[in-house]
Amino acid sequence: MALLDYLKQNNHDGIILVEIEGEQLTYQTGSVQATFYMSDKPYFTESSDSIGAIPFTPCIESDLRYGSTVSNIFGTRASRNYGTISLSTPEVFAVTTVSGTPQYGVKDVRSSISNDAIDVASTVTVKLAGPRSLFTYAEAITLFTAKVDNVSYSSGGGVSISISSIIDSVYDKSLSTCSGTYGTVLNMKPELVDFATLKYSVNDGEIEAINGVFDRAVALTLTTDYTVDLSAGTITLVNTPDDLTVDVSGSKESGVFARTTQEVVDRIIDQVSLNITTSSDWDVDTDDIGYIVENPGDITLDVVLDELAAGHLGFWFVNRSNEITMLKWDSSGINSYTYDETQVMDYSWEYNSETYRSTSASTYDRNWHSGGSPAAGADPTRADFHTSEFGGIKVSAVSDGVNNSSTIEAPTVHTYFAQFSGSPAKHYVVAPFRSRVYEVEVPAYDILDIGDSVTFPTDEGDVTGLVIGITTTLGKGYPTNKLKVLP
Amino acid sequence: MSTEGNALFLFDDIASAGAVVADSEEVAMPDDNLINLTRSSVWRSTAGTSSELEFTLPAGDSFRYIALIDINLTTNGTIQIEGWTDAIDGSTKVYDETHNLSDGHLGWNTGVFGLGTFSQRADISLPTRNVVLFDTEQYNMGDRYWKLTLTDTDSSYQQCACVVFARDSRPAVNASWDWTFSLDYRSDIKTSLSGVEYSIDREDKRVFNLSWDWLNDLERNKYMQRAYAFKNNKPFVFCLFPDDISQKPSHTIWGRFNSNQISQQFVNINKFNTQIIEVL
């Protein structure tokens, strides 16, 4: 029997395991920081387990809550909040490695007393285990990983550890080194990097292809008018241009050209050295997109994710495995769960009315000087793309129309801006949106997350919807999930 | 009237002032934990079906009872207790008894020994949280060298939280009628729309409410001292009906006082009211 099936049976023990990597306050040659092991009930691993025979200190005395909610249900990002772990004692079993040899013993978690202590930024892993005689340590389910925000001690010996999501680092993560052109972009304005040779850079590194070079919308000729260095991401002109734009298939690494939204995000995450990946659960359009980061020092990763999610009328969040997932609002959900009335402890609903923000908020112009005119022989349908609102980002994942109905229309992702013509316009301006949002309380033993699909019974029949908020309570009481569900 | 009442306290563990050596230990659960009275600090052997624990007790102390807290042996296990005057495995053996846990402990497999996952059933989680109490029937045994051999072919290692060697403290007159035993139910129940209840098992604490109405003056003073010294947070072994320990081990708990009241009702009539609650 799987652990979750076992735990779902009435009266069965679930054990919360918390592992915290302490911070080494004074560097000791050859040693690494301690890992503290604690639980809410007695739990001992066995020597055949990956962490050996470890006695978890049963000192967790608080309910453990963790939650994740799309902060504005029609905004794009999701927040993840965790509560506080209260310990009844500061003395917790720990393993430290000194010169390659593990040292075992009870250590004080307080920084004022111990060299190895739980401190701000320590990594926290929370697991749900079954009785060790029935389930191995490897079968314990990792509920989430987080980091320590604050540690406080009471005079009675109690310890309070506030924890929060590691996705704060997504919000804070500057793209300072990620300048570049991703996917297929039309009419980008390259940067003049060598005045003497008229060398222009279209990307900071190797690119897939240069698809066209234009001066005031007049196509230039390869070799005659310009040469290309794909490995450096540059073009070199023969004559000084008047108003240069380039069609580029951009960033290429290890022979792989990033085309789709997910591939572009993967590429950018790689470049910012963040210990996070994209999940396999993405459910947004897989068309080619184009995306330019011009002033990376001014923007952070969450802005990029907001923008790219907006291009799909979607939202993004970080799942329990700390992977970024992007979904469309009309997604059917990553995992689906069905509850019957024996499992639903409570439900209620309310109308909620909010507005999509003008997600792309992008305008486009012709690719000649504003107020000027195209050069003789130019293609007048070509357009240049501008987005002044988002700190230098240009995005080509845009809708082809204005949606003002009360339903969400799936966007169309366009590769070519030239499909647009006419006066500057904005896209994705959606009228106020009114929908029921359900609050449902169910047992916590399904490892639900934002983006999952749930079906549950109500007086009006079964309701199926997308989980847009979740608060899980574990600990002394019976564990419950409180879900916000958008049908 | 018996000179030993029906309740037993082991207040003063002498082993914790001595030394212990096990013939094997997991590095994370060393043998020193056997004389550390914190219940969550346990000793565990390495893989095997038998272990020897060698205790050297402090000079000048004596004991009668041996209690093993949270031992993981099943009903197929045996515990051999040996004692010497001169040295462990020395020339002067003074005690040698082997207790077969299936003999005289018939209730262990099917009875009310603990609850749920904390019963002795071998298919349920180890470690169990049991207190096993042995009466050497040797009053004030002063010999210092003791070996406990734990054997159990049904488990792959031996584990124990602590071993207590102590003299008993017991009022001469039984605890009065109307004593109560109850369980502090600590699980939380949630009810679904259809009425189905969900709860998560948490170990219950065993609680005794007891009264001794006929303490003599010496006992009165002694229990006043004990109540003061142990306050409400220092654990000890408590057993109701110690004469039946071979049959009713559930009455032995690792507990603490929760409240105490001692009063003198009349000349030479002293009353001791207490609640003893299990320490998990």
Side-chain angles (χ1 to χ4, degrees):
Chain A
M1 183 188 292
L3 174 57
L4 276 184
D5 293 333
Y6 170 82
L7 293 174
K8 274 189 268 188
Q9 294 177 0
N10 204 1
N11 287 332
H12 274 168
D13 251 344
I15 303 165
I16 302 297
L17 308 179
V18 175
E19 299 168 19
I20 302 181
E21 284 179 19
E23 296 296 308
Q24 196 165 54
L25 301 178
T26 306
Y27 181 74
Q28 293 173 290
T29 305
S31 70
V32 298
Q33 69 246 47
T35 300
F36 293 91
Y37 296 94
M38 59 209 85
S39 61
D40 69 334
K41 296 175 191 152
Y43 186 84
F44 301 82
T45 59
E46 301 201 356
S47 52
S48 56
D49 288 322
S50 59
I51 57 171
I54 298 288
F56 282 67
T57 304
C59 61
I60 297 175
E61 59 175 10
S62 59
D63 279 359
L64 202 59
R65 292 169 197 278
Y66 61 96
S68 182
T69 305
V70 178
S71 52
N72 162 353
I73 66 165
F74 299 120
T76 52
R77 70 177 62 165
S79 67
R80 192 179 281 287
N81 300 306
Y82 304 111
T84 299
I85 301 174
S86 297
L87 309 182
S88 55
T89 171
E91 299 200 326
V92 177
F93 186 84
V95 178
T96 316
T97 303
V98 177
S99 302
T101 307
Q103 311 279 317
Y104 299 82
V106 171
K107 282 182 181 286
D108 199 302
V109 304
R110 293 175 290 190
S111 56
S112 55
I113 291 176
S114 180
N115 181 40
D116 293 291
I118 293 174
D119 206 348
V120 174
S122 292
T123 301
V124 181
T125 304
V126 178
K127 296 183 172 186
L128 180 62
R132 178 59 190 82
S133 58
L134 299 178
F135 298 96
T136 65
Y137 173 75
E139 290 176 275
I141 296 160
T142 299
L143 296 174
F144 58 86
T145 56
K147 67 181 172 63
V148 173
D149 255 0
N150 184 40
V151 187
S152 59
Y153 318 118
S154 70
S155 55
V159 179
S160 268
I161 304 170
S162 301
I163 57 176
S164 70
S165 166
I166 66 162
I167 65 167
D168 285 350
S169 57
V170 174
Y171 292 140
D172 298 338
K173 194 71 188 179
S174 166
L175 298 187
S176 56
T177 61
C178 295
S179 171
T181 303
Y182 301 89
T184 300
V185 175
L186 300 196
N187 289 346
M188 72 156 297
K189 296 197 172 183
E191 181 188 1
L192 179 60
V193 292
D194 188 338
F195 186 81
T197 60
L198 293 179
K199 182 187 284 186
Y200 289 76
S201 172
V202 298
N203 181 52
D204 189 8
E206 185 177 4
I207 58 170
E208 170 78 2
I210 295 289
N211 304 315
V213 178
F214 303 89
D215 186 10
R216 280 179 73 193
V218 176
L220 303 182
T221 305
L222 181 63
T223 312
T224 308
D225 299 323
Y226 66 97
T227 55
V228 172
D229 182 347
L230 291 180
S231 62
T234 58
I235 60 172
T236 303
L237 296 195
V238 174
N239 301 308
T240 303
D242 188 16
D243 198 350
L244 181 69
T245 58
V246 183
D247 295 352
V248 183
S249 292
S251 175
K252 186 176 184 180
E253 280 185 12
S254 305
V256 179
F257 168 49
R259 296 174 179 275
T260 67
T261 302
Q262 185 171 0
E263 288 166 355
V264 169
V265 171
D266 269 332
R267 178 71 39 93
I268 290 174
I269 290 172
D270 280 350
Q271 293 177 353
V272 296
S273 305
L274 195 60
N275 187 22
I276 200 166
T277 57
T278 60
S279 80
S280 57
D281 295 325
W282 281 50
D283 185 18
V284 295
D285 295 318
T286 54
D287 304 67
D288 288 7
I289 65 159
Y291 192 77
I292 298 176
V293 179
E294 281 186 342
N295 300 305
D298 298 339
I299 53 174
T300 50
L301 183 56
D302 62 304
V303 176
V304 172
L305 294 166
D306 281 356
E307 278 305 298
L308 291 175
H312 297 277
L313 276 186
F315 64 103
W316 64 272
F317 57 93
V318 177
N319 68 15
R320 289 204 166 84
S321 305
N322 290 313
E323 299 167 325
I324 291 172
T325 301
M326 199 175 282
L327 294 181
K328 293 191 290 190
W329 279 113
D330 59 353
S331 290
S332 56
I334 298 166
N335 303 302
S336 70
Y337 297 86
T338 300
Y339 292 100
D340 60 31
E341 64 176 8
T342 68
Q343 294 162 293
V344 175
M345 290 160 187
D346 193 16
Y347 81 89
S348 61
W349 56 264
E350 60 179 17
Y351 271 115
N352 207 323
S353 176
E354 295 185 44
T355 310
Y356 279 111
R357 64 191 176 94
S358 175
T359 49
S360 262
S362 308
T363 62
Y364 60 92
D365 288 329
R366 301 295 163 84
N367 65 340
W368 51 83
H369 292 305
S370 179
S373 60
D379 175 358
T381 64
R382 294 193 63 81
D384 190 9
F385 197 73
H386 295 279
T387 58
S388 57
E389 290 94 331
F390 295 113
I393 292 177
K394 295 184 177 182
V395 59
S396 60
V398 295
S399 168
D400 61 348
V402 174
N403 186 335
N404 58 6
S405 72
S406 61
T407 59
I408 302 171
E409 182 181 289
T412 304
V413 179
H414 289 281
T415 306
Y416 300 106
F417 298 143
Q419 292 170 349
F420 298 101
S421 62
S423 58
K426 291 194 173 189
H427 305 284
Y428 289 162
V429 181
V430 178
F433 183 98
R434 196 162 165 79
S435 173
R436 282 184 180 184
V437 174
Y438 286 82
E439 296 235 6
V440 192
E441 187 175 336
V442 293
Y445 283 146
D446 289 307
I447 304 303
L448 291 162
D449 210 338
I450 288 187
D452 289 342
S453 171
V454 296
T455 301
F456 54 93
T458 71
D459 295 343
E460 301 168 357
D462 285 358
V463 172
T464 298
L466 194 66
V467 176
I468 58 170
I470 182 167
T471 301
T472 303
T473 306
L474 299 164
K476 288 176 180 169
Y478 188 76
T480 53
N481 279 321
K482 286 187 177 167
L483 311 176
K484 270 174 108 175
V485 179
L486 182 68
Chain B
M1 183 184 292
S2 166
T3 56
E4 294 183 328
N6 64 358
L8 166 76
F9 293 87
L10 301 186
F11 284 122
D12 300 317
D13 172 42
I14 61 173
S16 53
V20 61
V21 177
D23 60 351
S24 78
E25 64 185 17
E26 289 282 358
V27 285
M29 291 172 259
D31 52 13
D32 280 352
N33 286 346
L34 286 164
I35 53 175
N36 173 347
L37 298 183
T38 303
R39 194 164 190 162
S40 61
S41 299
V42 308
W43 156 81
R44 180 187 288 181
S45 70
T46 55
T49 55
S50 185
S51 293
E52 292 180 355
L53 310 178
E54 297 176 349
F55 291 87
T56 303
L57 303 180
D61 284 328
S62 62
F63 74 96
R64 170 176 167 184
Y65 286 89
I66 301 173
L68 292 89
I69 316 296
D70 291 344
I71 189 164
N72 78 336
L73 300 191
T74 68
T75 50
N76 285 335
T78 59
I79 299 176
Q80 183 183 13
I81 301 172
E82 297 167 276
W84 293 268
T85 300
D86 51 348
I88 287 169
D89 293 327
S91 56
T92 316
K93 186 182 258 189
V94 293
Y95 190 86
D96 188 352
E97 289 283 342
T98 298
H99 300 267
N100 188 333
L101 297 189
S102 64
D103 295 338
H105 293 78
L106 298 177
W108 281 28
N109 227 6
T110 55
V112 289
F113 189 87
L115 282 184
T117 55
F118 304 114
S119 77
Q120 279 278 30
R121 284 176 296 174
D123 60 335
I124 301 294
S125 92
L126 297 174
T128 54
R129 300 175 71 73
N130 293 308
V131 180
V132 178
L133 181 63
F134 294 111
D135 182 358
T136 65
E137 298 181 332
Q138 306 292 308
Y139 299 87
N140 298 331
M141 181 94 80
D143 303 297
R144 295 180 58 205
Y145 304 99
W146 292 84
K147 180 158 78 177
L148 272 54
T149 304
L150 315 181
T151 304
D152 185 3
T153 54
D154 277 358
S155 61
S156 58
Y157 55 81
Q158 292 73 53
Q159 181 172 311
C160 185
C162 51
V163 178
V164 172
F165 288 75
R167 282 193 288 184
D168 54 322
S169 171
R170 51 202 306 183
V173 178
N174 285 347
S176 300
W177 296 112
D178 206 24
W179 60 268
T180 61
F181 166 75
S182 59
L183 294 171
D184 179 11
Y185 186 65
R186 301 195 304 142
S187 303
D188 190 39
I189 295 177
K190 290 260 184 180
T191 307
S192 76
L193 294 178
S194 70
V196 171
E197 290 186 337
Y198 290 83
S199 69
I200 184 164
D201 211 17
R202 298 185 68 81
E203 59 270 45
D204 294 342
K205 289 185 173 184
R206 289 176 279 185
V207 180
F208 286 97
N209 283 294
L210 297 152
S211 170
W212 285 269
D213 293 336
W214 301 97
L215 298 188
N216 61 39
D217 288 356
L218 185 63
E219 290 172 335
R220 176 198 64 199
N221 293 346
K222 191 162 74 176
Y223 282 94
M224 285 170 69
Q225 290 169 355
R226 292 300 188 184
Y228 179 73
F230 277 71
K231 300 177 181 144
N232 279 355
N233 59 7
K234 192 173 173 188
F236 52 83
V237 174
F238 173 72
C239 182
L240 197 56
F241 304 124
D243 296 336
D244 287 338
I245 56 173
S246 61
Q247 293 294 327
K248 292 180 177 152
S250 68
H251 294 152
T252 303
I253 65 171
W254 182 242
R256 63 173 174 83
F257 290 127
N258 199 40
S259 65
N260 283 307
Q261 185 187 49
I262 294 175
S263 56
Q264 183 155 17
Q265 310 278 312
F266 198 66
V267 175
N268 215 18
I269 299 179
N270 302 289
K271 186 170 182 176
F272 174 34
N273 275 317
T274 188
Q275 183 180 59
I276 298 169
I277 189 164
E278 185 167 21
V279 175
L280 291 176

